[in-house]
Amino acid sequence: MYWIHLLWYFIIISFLGWLFSSLYHFFSEKKFYDNGFLTLPFCPAYGAGAVICYVVFKPLTDNFLIIFIGSALLLSFFTVIAGFIGKKILGCKPWDYSNLKFNIGSYLTFPFVVIMGLGGVFCVKILIPMLRLGIVKIPDIVSLVVSLSIALLMLIDYVLSFVTIHRLKKRLKIAKYDAEFLDDKESAEQLKELEHNYNKIFTNTILRKRMVHAFPELKHTAYIKKITDKLDEIKEDNKKEFDQFYENKKQKPFASGFCFEKLFILFLVGSFVGTCIETIFALIVEGHFELRVGVVYGPFIPVYGGGAVLLTTVLYRLYKLSDTLIFIISAALGAFFEYICSWGQETFLGTVSWDYSDMPLNIGGRTCLLYSLFWGFLGLVWIRYIYPFASKLIEKIPKKQGSVIVVVVFIFMLYNAFVSVSSIYRWNQRAVGNPPANSFERYIDHHFDDKKMKTLFPHMRDGDTLEELQKNKPENAKTK
């Protein structure tokens, strides 16, 4: 598991690097913003540099001076190369120290060389050994799944960021062409159209807006300066018109855009659809009707609802991606989410609701390749067909009535979750002979006795008997 530990070091230090960079800019510029290349809160340059120093210098020597000098030289070289590559990709410098003394090609300056040397020593001698103490306590399979899932998300983030930059640079070339033919005789209508096209370059997608926010130099390229100067002349008038139309909250429908109300309703829809899918599955594949729910009140399976929310959140602005890429992202997210739900249920409630241990390419019996492909197909259908239809339908709900319904149903689902967890807890306690300790537990025992719980959750088992269940059970339980 040595390479998994290295992957964890990379992930954690990448996050710490992002946090350090964000705080540095916050205190220096009095404003928080994400200036990293990735959308996720990671700066891989920090993680990669720390891991490289650890691998190179840890087995070499314990001498502070050698580690310091070696880290300073290695990280300086790494920084200059990363800056040079970043400029080729972005078209502008990702960082610029040209206004400081002793800079090297504006990518590096002497004080930062010293800081990087000290940082290398800190990572090799203190930080990574401390991280290792915590990482070794994580179960191997959990460590494998979580670290690889995060790494996969970072890889997807990298791909999307590269695609965003590539398309943005193509748009900027079009802006350059427009600038060459712009003169003082342009009409107001032509300038408005030009402004629309110019603004669209940087605001057409959430990824593009974030990239420009992280690297503002992208908006100040020399060959579009003429456009920006012209557009400033009519900017205020257009802004007033824009604000009047878009900022009037009375014109926005209920649950407009990406908001909590819409996500909660989608959670309910996904939970209900999950119940239908599982019930039909039992009827067709297993040949009998079986009630399959995830809570004690109502036809809801929260794993599906949570999956719908997760897929919507991640894919909301990525619907323009190819079907193949959406399928892959959905499959990875679904498998990861299913694993975490199963692990959380067994860890905190001591029970398991599904077991894929006898299926090929499974991970701890909690998820498997077949069902990850199912999640991929479900995510593709969801974002292509179900979500657009459901979103428009939700926005047709009257505002006042919709807000009241969301509040009432949200409170009900909180109560539903509380009673469901309490019922499962008492089910386990009764199994080991523990009597109710108070009136609430007596109420639970009376209304949700063993017979009713067995009816509601026919495939749920005590986590302690999972190994025996895997040996003796002829068919996997697939209930969520």
Side-chain angles (χ1 to χ4, degrees):
M1 297 295 288
Y2 176 70
W3 68 274
I4 291 295
H5 289 177
L6 292 180
L7 183 58
W8 270 117
Y9 304 151
F10 167 76
I11 292 171
I12 295 174
I13 297 176
S14 294
F15 170 74
L16 294 177
W18 171 86
L19 184 62
F20 169 79
S21 179
S22 300
L23 291 176
Y24 171 79
H25 286 285
F26 176 77
F27 286 112
S28 62
E29 303 178 21
K30 307 301 180 183
K31 183 179 179 180
F32 176 83
Y33 67 91
D34 181 5
N35 67 327
F37 185 71
L38 300 185
T39 303
L40 294 173
F42 298 104
C43 284
Y46 287 87
V51 170
I52 291 173
C53 287
Y54 179 76
V55 172
V56 172
F57 298 113
K58 180 62 175 66
L60 184 63
T61 179
D62 291 330
N63 188 288
F64 170 88
L65 186 59
I66 292 179
I67 297 178
F68 171 77
I69 296 175
S71 297
L73 294 175
L74 185 61
L75 294 179
S76 295
F77 174 77
F78 184 73
T79 301
V80 172
I81 293 298
F84 177 78
I85 295 175
K87 182 181 179 180
K88 292 297 183 181
I89 295 173
L90 294 169
C92 64
K93 294 180 180 179
W95 54 84
D96 186 2
Y97 300 128
S98 58
N99 60 330
L100 299 177
K101 294 181 179 180
F102 309 111
N103 69 82
I104 304 174
S106 73
Y107 295 117
L108 195 63
T109 182
F110 180 73
F112 282 94
V113 174
V114 176
I115 292 175
M116 286 189 290
L118 294 175
V121 174
F122 174 73
C123 290
V124 172
K125 303 299 293 182
I126 300 176
L127 180 58
I128 291 181
M130 289 177 59
L131 293 177
R132 185 179 182 280
L133 294 177
I135 292 172
V136 295
K137 295 180 180 180
I138 304 175
D140 289 346
I141 189 65
V142 175
S143 181
L144 176 66
V145 171
V146 174
S147 62
L148 289 180
S149 298
I150 297 175
L152 177 61
L153 291 176
M154 293 175 67
L155 180 60
I156 293 173
D157 197 349
Y158 252 117
V159 173
L160 295 179
S161 297
F162 274 115
V163 171
T164 300
I165 285 294
H166 176 69
R167 292 181 176 177
L168 183 58
K169 291 173 72 174
K170 289 179 65 177
R171 295 287 183 179
L172 290 176
K173 289 182 179 179
I174 297 175
K176 177 183 178 181
Y177 179 82
D178 291 338
E180 291 175 350
F181 292 92
L182 188 65
D183 56 39
D184 295 333
K185 297 180 180 181
E186 300 293 337
S187 66
E189 291 75 14
Q190 289 172 320
L191 287 173
K192 286 182 180 181
E193 182 180 358
L194 187 58
E195 181 186 40
H196 173 74
N197 295 333
Y198 171 74
N199 287 331
K200 192 176 180 181
I201 293 176
F202 304 107
T203 62
N204 194 34
T205 68
I206 190 172
L207 291 175
R208 197 176 294 174
K209 286 190 290 186
R210 195 211 68 80
M211 193 63 67
V212 174
H213 182 70
F215 304 101
E217 295 84 358
L218 289 170
K219 294 189 69 173
H220 301 289
T221 312
Y223 55 71
I224 62 175
K225 189 176 185 303
K226 188 176 180 181
I227 285 183
T228 60
D229 292 341
K230 272 288 183 182
L231 294 178
D232 284 341
E233 298 175 4
I234 59 171
K235 181 178 179 181
E236 291 302 321
D237 291 338
N238 282 348
K239 186 176 185 301
K240 291 178 182 179
E241 182 180 348
F242 180 89
D243 291 343
Q244 183 180 0
F245 183 80
Y246 289 101
E247 298 300 326
N248 188 348
K249 295 183 179 180
K250 293 182 180 179
Q251 295 181 357
K252 292 183 179 179
F254 170 73
S256 175
F258 186 75
C259 60
F260 169 77
E261 290 86 353
K262 181 172 288 183
L263 287 178
F264 177 69
I265 296 176
L266 292 176
F267 169 80
L268 293 177
V269 173
S271 299
F272 174 74
V273 171
T275 299
C276 297
I277 291 174
E278 290 287 341
T279 302
I280 295 174
F281 179 88
L283 191 62
I284 295 177
V285 177
E286 300 182 5
H288 63 87
F289 176 81
E290 185 176 77
L291 180 64
R292 292 191 168 185
V293 295
V295 290
V296 296
Y297 296 122
F300 304 110
I301 299 181
V303 170
Y304 282 92
V309 171
L310 180 63
L311 291 173
T312 302
T313 302
V314 174
L315 300 175
Y316 173 65
R317 291 291 189 181
L318 306 180
Y319 64 93
K320 292 185 178 180
L321 295 178
S322 67
D323 290 350
T324 301
L325 192 54
I326 289 180
F327 178 87
I328 294 173
I329 295 174
S330 301
L333 287 174
F336 173 72
F337 182 70
E338 190 174 39
Y339 186 95
I340 292 299
C341 288
S342 175
W343 174 80
Q345 179 183 347
E346 183 174 1
T347 301
F348 298 106
L349 296 179
T351 60
V352 290
S353 292
W354 62 88
D355 173 29
Y356 305 136
S357 57
D358 60 351
M359 299 191 71
L361 300 176
N362 72 86
I363 302 177
R366 304 186 190 282
T367 190
C368 65
L369 178 62
L370 177 62
Y371 280 89
S372 70
L373 298 178
F374 172 77
W375 277 104
F377 173 76
L378 193 62
L380 181 60
V381 173
W382 174 266
I383 208 65
R384 284 284 187 261
Y385 305 104
I386 301 178
Y387 172 73
F389 172 76
S391 178
K392 293 179 181 178
L393 203 62
I394 291 170
E395 292 180 0
K396 292 181 179 180
I397 300 174
K399 273 190 175 183
K400 187 176 294 184
Q401 294 87 333
S403 299
V404 172
I405 292 173
V406 167
V407 171
V408 172
V409 178
F410 180 71
I411 294 174
F412 164 73
M413 290 302 292
L414 286 179
Y415 174 76
N416 195 359
F418 174 72
V419 174
S420 299
V421 172
S422 301
S423 301
I424 295 172
Y425 173 78
R426 279 302 303 156
W427 192 13
N428 285 336
Q429 292 297 301
R430 289 195 300 270
V432 296
N434 292 336
N438 50 54
S439 58
F440 175 72
E441 291 188 352
R442 287 192 291 271
Y443 170 84
I444 293 295
D445 287 355
H446 175 71
H447 288 85
F448 300 98
D449 55 16
D450 292 351
K451 182 179 179 180
K452 186 168 186 178
M453 294 297 289
K454 184 67 177 177
T455 302
L456 290 173
F457 308 110
H459 294 286
M460 186 175 291
R461 297 291 186 272
D462 186 343
D464 294 335
T465 63
L466 179 60
E467 184 176 352
E468 181 181 350
L469 180 68
Q470 293 171 344
K471 292 180 179 179
N472 301 327
K473 184 172 58 176
E475 185 174 347
N476 283 328
K478 302 177 181 63
T479 302
K480 304 295 187 296

